Amino acid sequence: AQKITQTQPGMFVQEKEAVTLDCTYDTSDPSYGLFWYKQPSSGEMIFLIYQGSYDQQNATEGRYSLNFQKARKSANLVISASQLGDSAMYFCAMREGGDSSYKLIFGSGTRLLVRP
Amino acid sequence: DVKVTQSSRYLVKRTGEKVFLECVQDMDHENMFWYRQDPGLGLRLIYFSYDVKMKEKGDIPEGYSVSREKKERFSLILESASTNQTSMYLCASSLTGLGTATYNEQFFGPGTRLTVL
């Protein structure tokens, strides 16, 4: 069974609008962490935002926020005020077992294209 | 800033050749990882290492081996390259979780696009 599911292979958004990228996960471990990475066409993976399973508040980092709905096992990434430079692949990933663990499980990714 | 470098951005090899992909990180991270990335499949873990000379298999280790003789360097070896190993290979590193106040996120290199003919 897929542990991380990203159901949107590709998405478009108009510049300056907000966009939500979906991610659902599957784990029975009470301690886990969720990550979002951005991969521009240059290839390197850039860490964007992190949400721990015990965090009470949704994570935010600048224009990125994570809509964490624990009961639904979803961790959607919201990008506000999209910019042309946001065009990239976006990957959701999960680490099970708490901070002492280090393996990440990645989803298949969503390609976002920002239109001018 | 953490820097993870990979020896080549693009590599073309022939079937049956022995291939070495090198990765170096400069932030004294304990953990290092090798992934391959294929369209529609995301990143899949090949091997990882949590200390010098220590390694563990990931999800798809068949056809690959690794070497970590020094803390900063993690090598991926394709003993006999095959066409189905044509892919993007990404190296990453991270701190361990113990006693740190970070998210222990993984830092990635720029990737090596390997083509096996």
Side-chain angles (χ1 to χ4, degrees):
Chain A
Q2 291 277 13
K3 289 229 170 191
I4 293 285
T5 303
Q6 295 180 254
T7 57
Q8 307 151 314
M11 288 190 70
F12 291 95
V13 65
Q14 205 65 33
E15 194 179 7
K16 299 192 178 106
E17 292 184 352
V19 63
T20 298
L21 306 183
D22 294 341
C23 173
T24 58
Y25 59 91
D26 182 24
T27 182
S28 56
D29 197 321
S31 180
Y32 54 90
L34 297 156
F35 298 78
W36 277 93
Y37 281 85
K38 171 184 178 181
Q39 186 182 41
S41 56
S42 53
E44 80 278 18
M45 299 276 284
I46 302 165
F47 166 69
L48 295 178
I49 196 166
Y50 168 82
Q51 180 85 44
S53 59
Y54 295 119
D55 293 343
Q56 295 296 313
Q57 294 191 322
N58 286 347
T60 60
E61 288 286 348
R63 294 187 298 111
Y64 304 108
S65 59
L66 206 152
N67 184 2
F68 182 46
Q69 298 189 42
K70 197 169 181 177
R72 298 178 67 178
K73 294 189 174 178
S74 75
N76 299 338
L77 177 71
V78 180
I79 305 174
S80 63
S82 296
Q83 301 172 355
L84 296 178
D86 293 334
S87 293
M89 282 288 288
Y90 289 82
F91 290 95
C92 179
M94 177 174 65
R95 179 179 63 211
E96 294 175 296
D99 289 343
S100 61
S101 175
Y102 33 74
K103 287 175 62 174
L104 289 182
I105 303 163
F106 285 85
S108 56
T110 295
R111 183 173 297 281
L112 177 68
L113 186 60
V114 180
R115 290 171 165 154
Chain B
D1 273 356
V2 176
K3 193 159 186 187
V4 181
T5 56
Q6 295 183 228
S7 49
S8 306
R9 289 302 303 271
Y10 300 94
L11 209 53
V12 180
K13 295 291 181 181
R14 298 217 172 265
T15 301
E17 279 192 78
K18 191 168 185 175
V19 181
F20 292 87
L21 302 182
E22 304 284 339
C23 175
V24 177
Q25 51 94 5
D26 67 358
M27 281 300 291
D28 204 33
H29 283 175
E30 293 86 358
N31 306 317
M32 295 188 76
F33 308 83
W34 275 107
Y35 295 91
R36 66 175 281 175
Q37 181 181 5
D38 300 289
L41 296 178
L43 277 71
R44 293 179 292 166
L45 183 64
I46 305 171
Y47 267 97
F48 68 99
S49 168
Y50 50 90
D51 202 350
V52 174
K53 297 192 187 294
M54 306 304 289
K55 61 187 179 186
E56 282 195 26
K57 293 179 180 178
D59 301 315
I60 50 165
E62 296 78 20
Y64 303 95
S65 62
V66 290
S67 172
R68 194 165 179 203
E69 297 296 318
K70 293 185 178 181
K71 191 175 185 179
E72 67 271 19
R73 189 179 297 270
F74 192 35
S75 303
L76 180 69
I77 303 152
L78 287 66
E79 294 289 342
S80 177
S82 64
T83 54
N84 62 14
Q85 292 178 310
T86 292
S87 187
M88 169 75 101
Y89 290 87
L90 290 163
C91 175
S93 70
S94 74
L95 290 167
T96 63
L98 303 176
T100 68
T102 73
Y103 305 136
N104 302 318
E105 69 270 29
Q106 293 183 15
F107 294 85
F108 285 81
T112 295
R113 191 168 292 282
L114 173 67
T115 302
V116 183
L117 302 175

